[in-house]
Amino acid sequence: MLRVTYLSRETDPFSARGLVDLLEHCKKSNPALGVTGMLMYANGTFLQTLEGEAETVETLLAKIEGDKRHHGFQVIKRESIEERIYKNWSMGFERLTEAALQDEPALKAFQLDDFNPEYLSAHPSVIENLLQRHRSLHWDPLIREIDARDQFIGELRGALLHARQRNEQALLLIESVIEASAEGTLTDMHLQLCRRMVETLRNPQQPSANFVGENRSKSQRTNT
């Protein structure tokens, strides 16, 4: 298998509905491709990791690179893997904020304005710390015994990550509905997405990966 992380910058601003459509597309297409990953956005910049079978990932990357909705595509890291680290998400999503950065000790010195291709490409350790926050729990296969306390903490961390994902998704969907209502373009699709979000919130045991297509944002337009 292959894991690839890349950076790109949006070509034109897009609405919350545009981002919802993008994530909905990922949610529908990535499972069939066997692709998982994480997408982060701020300042018109996208940081994305994709993982799956090597041929599939390479084909998807070529398609992404040719997408006119973004430019400045650059691969930051390409590595062969035996285990996925985003196995729970067809495409996790976060719109990065100052508040989120303050919650991470390893990112205290990193400013939100630094989330741009120029800075990130020159600071791979920052990319690593940003993505580390969303990785699925996994352990070295050589470790045969896990301390009960550490395991419990790990389970709590996993639950918190899923809760944050649901918050991201709900906020994006709300913003999308507000935009559509203001523009007079509210459709049945919005209502369907709202119903699905309600079901997701009523059933917290459902993985947030199954509802990545409905997130938050005031974002803009990009690829996948």
Side-chain angles (χ1 to χ4, degrees), residues 15 20 30-31 35-36 40 64 83 115 118 120 124 128 141 143 149 152 180 185-186 202 205 207:
S15 64
V20 167
N30 286 355
V35 172
T36 53
M40 301 183 72
I64 290 172
E83 182 181 3
F115 194 88
E118 295 74 25
L120 292 174
E128 185 70 14
I143 298 177
R149 183 193 63 181
F152 178 64
T185 59
L186 197 63
R202 284 177 175 170
Q205 297 305 314

Side-chain angles (χ1 to χ4, degrees), residues 5-149:
T5 299
Y6 74 87
L7 286 165
S8 67
R9 190 186 294 277
E10 64 191 6
T11 300
D12 297 307
F14 62 89
S15 64
R17 176 59 191 272
L19 188 57
V20 167
D21 290 343
L22 168 66
L23 295 173
E24 180 71 5
H25 173 73
C26 292
K27 182 183 71 71
K28 290 180 178 178
S29 63
N30 286 355
L33 296 173
V35 172
T36 53
M38 181 68 199
L39 173 64
M40 301 183 72
Y41 169 84
N43 302 329
T45 297
F46 286 84
L47 170 64
Q48 185 171 34
T49 292
L50 299 170
E51 53 188 12
E53 295 301 322
E55 184 176 353
T56 301
V57 172
E58 294 288 10
T59 299
L60 183 56
L61 278 175
K63 181 179 179 181
I64 290 172
E65 184 174 8
D67 194 318
K68 300 300 183 182
R69 293 174 295 177
H70 74 133
H71 64 278
F73 177 92
Q74 55 178 313
V75 172
I76 299 300
K77 190 173 184 179
R78 177 184 270 103
E79 56 186 328
S80 297
I81 59 173
E82 295 183 358
E83 182 181 3
R84 298 171 187 262
I85 56 177
Y86 298 107
K87 59 186 177 183
N88 290 331
W89 292 319
S90 56
M91 189 50 60
F93 172 78
E94 179 184 19
R95 184 175 62 178
L96 200 61
T97 64
E98 290 284 6
L101 294 176
Q102 293 303 311
D103 289 338
E104 299 295 332
L107 294 169
K108 289 291 186 182
F110 178 70
Q111 303 296 314
L112 187 60
D113 287 344
D114 293 329
F115 194 88
N116 59 71
E118 295 74 25
Y119 183 93
L120 292 174
S121 61
H123 297 81
S125 62
V126 171
I127 292 178
E128 185 70 14
N129 287 330
L130 286 168
L131 293 173
Q132 177 65 33
R133 299 155 59 247
H134 296 281
R135 287 179 174 171
S136 306
L137 298 176
H138 66 289
W139 306 96
D140 188 318
L142 297 178
I143 298 177
R144 301 186 179 208
E145 295 182 9
I146 301 176
D147 180 85
R149 183 193 63 181

Side-chain angles (χ1 to χ4, degrees), residues 97-221:
T97 64
E98 290 284 6
L101 294 176
Q102 293 303 311
D103 289 338
E104 299 295 332
L107 294 169
K108 289 291 186 182
F110 178 70
Q111 303 296 314
L112 187 60
D113 287 344
D114 293 329
F115 194 88
N116 59 71
E118 295 74 25
Y119 183 93
L120 292 174
S121 61
H123 297 81
S125 62
V126 171
I127 292 178
E128 185 70 14
N129 287 330
L130 286 168
L131 293 173
Q132 177 65 33
R133 299 155 59 247
H134 296 281
R135 287 179 174 171
S136 306
L137 298 176
H138 66 289
W139 306 96
D140 188 318
L142 297 178
I143 298 177
R144 301 186 179 208
E145 295 182 9
I146 301 176
D147 180 85
R149 183 193 63 181
D150 291 342
Q151 185 174 6
F152 178 64
I153 291 174
E155 291 171 354
L156 288 178
R157 179 176 181 273
L160 177 60
L161 287 175
H162 284 298
R164 286 179 175 174
Q165 281 287 302
R166 286 192 174 89
N167 287 341
E168 291 282 343
Q169 295 162 6
L171 287 172
L172 176 61
L173 180 55
I174 290 170
E175 290 186 21
S176 174
V177 170
I178 291 173
E179 286 182 357
S181 179
E183 296 169 357
T185 59
L186 197 63
T187 66
D188 287 342
M189 173 64 76
H190 291 94
L191 299 180
Q192 292 173 17
L193 296 181
C194 287
R195 291 190 187 99
R196 289 174 58 189
M197 174 56 78
V198 169
E199 284 302 310
T200 299
L201 295 176
R202 284 177 175 170
N203 298 280
Q205 297 305 314
Q206 291 181 358
S208 55
N210 292 337
F211 196 75
V212 154
E214 295 76 59
N215 284 47
R216 86 178 185 201
S217 158
K218 192 81 177 176
S219 307
Q220 289 132 318
R221 185 164 237 156

